[in-house]
Amino acid sequence: MPLNLKSGEVLTIALVNFEPLRITGLRSILEPDPQISVRVADVDDVLADPSIALVLFGLPNPPSFGQMSRLRVERPNLKLIVVGSLREDETIIDALAVGAKGYVEETARPEQLLQAIEIVHNGSIWAPRRVLSLFVDRILQFSTKPVRRHNNHFTEREQQVLRLLVAARSNREIAETLGIEERTVKAYIKNLMSKVGVDNRVALSMYAAST
């Protein structure tokens, strides 16, 4: 099943952190599509090659997200899909929290992998439905709760910004709700990420939603 890409578009995909047999299997799925270019790479290779638009990342056991976090910090527009064996929902949520846009089981059918790639490439998220439901439930529950963890480290205004952020409000919507400038919202979010020790909005939201 070829990807539904724009005419003449070539999607360069890097395979990172996979064993040789897994690489062979992924190549056999991806390379028949003339609109896909496959590279076997490490994190440094990906950071050095701006033509790479999407990464399939093999999740180690036990899970480690340091390399993924580095990719998201240094290449924020890079699309990242984690490929792993069946794991607890919390592990998948953690992967999404550090910036992954998709999670595909190792046992997925080839057409499912290609569908995940197409959906993530087009700007959406691919993950088991139960995990997405849990993610949404946490956001909705948190939107009516105060921040509990390290509460004394947050000002009242920071808590307001954080609750609206986790409720999936944009910077503009947060600014309008609180009656402040959008640039002020950005400053609050940057400060909150620094206090919590994360480097993106998703990780900040998941930190708060898990308290």
Side-chain angles (χ1 to χ4, degrees):
M1 182 187 73
L3 296 185
N4 184 23
L5 303 179
K6 297 177 182 177
S7 178
E9 181 181 4
V10 175
L11 177 62
T12 302
I13 299 176
L15 308 181
V16 177
N17 206 33
F18 290 102
E19 297 178 352
L21 284 177
R22 182 63 63 184
I23 290 173
T24 299
L26 290 170
R27 280 187 178 277
S28 70
I29 296 170
L30 301 174
E31 290 183 338
D33 191 326
Q35 289 189 283
I36 295 178
S37 175
V38 180
R39 311 269 179 88
V40 178
D42 59 23
V43 170
D44 288 333
D45 295 330
V46 173
L47 294 176
D49 188 350
S51 71
I52 295 173
L54 188 146
V55 171
L56 295 182
F57 189 93
L59 190 64
N61 190 12
S64 175
F65 300 105
Q67 290 182 317
M68 291 171 55
S69 296
R70 184 185 172 199
L71 287 173
R72 294 305 300 167
V73 170
E74 299 189 37
R75 290 280 308 275
N77 295 324
L78 188 70
K79 304 296 176 58
L80 179 62
I81 298 176
V82 174
V83 180
S85 59
L86 184 63
R87 299 180 186 275
E88 295 181 355
D89 292 350
E90 293 296 331
T91 300
I92 305 176
I93 289 177
D94 287 343
L96 297 176
V98 298
K101 299 298 183 183
Y103 187 96
V104 178
E105 301 288 356
E106 289 180 343
T107 56
R109 299 188 303 275
E111 57 267 27
Q112 290 176 317
L113 174 62
L114 291 172
Q115 185 179 10
I117 290 172
E118 182 174 312
I119 286 176
V120 169
H121 176 61
N122 289 330
S124 297
I125 294 176
W126 176 278
R129 183 175 298 178
R130 67 183 186 277
V131 176
L132 293 178
S133 296
L134 180 59
F135 180 80
V136 172
D137 286 345
R138 287 188 178 183
I139 289 176
L140 293 176
Q141 290 170 9
F142 180 79
S143 65
T144 60
K145 294 180 180 180
V147 177
R148 294 179 180 176
R149 188 182 298 176
H150 305 311
N151 197 39
N152 59 316
H153 290 194
F154 296 133
T155 66
E156 181 177 356
R157 179 65 88 188
E158 285 174 340
Q159 293 184 54
Q160 292 171 340
V161 171
L162 188 55
R163 282 195 289 272
L164 291 168
L165 175 65
V166 178
R169 304 290 182 86
S170 67
N171 287 349
R172 180 180 58 80
E173 290 172 329
I174 294 173
E176 291 175 351
T177 299
L178 299 180
I180 58 179
E181 296 291 333
E182 188 171 346
R183 65 175 180 270
T184 305
V185 173
K186 293 179 180 178
Y188 275 123
I189 291 175
K190 181 178 180 180
N191 192 43
L192 282 164
M193 289 192 295
S194 177
K195 285 186 176 183
V196 173
V198 297
D199 51 40
N200 61 74
R201 293 168 66 101
V202 176
L204 178 61
S205 299
M206 289 308 304
Y207 168 93
S210 64
T211 59

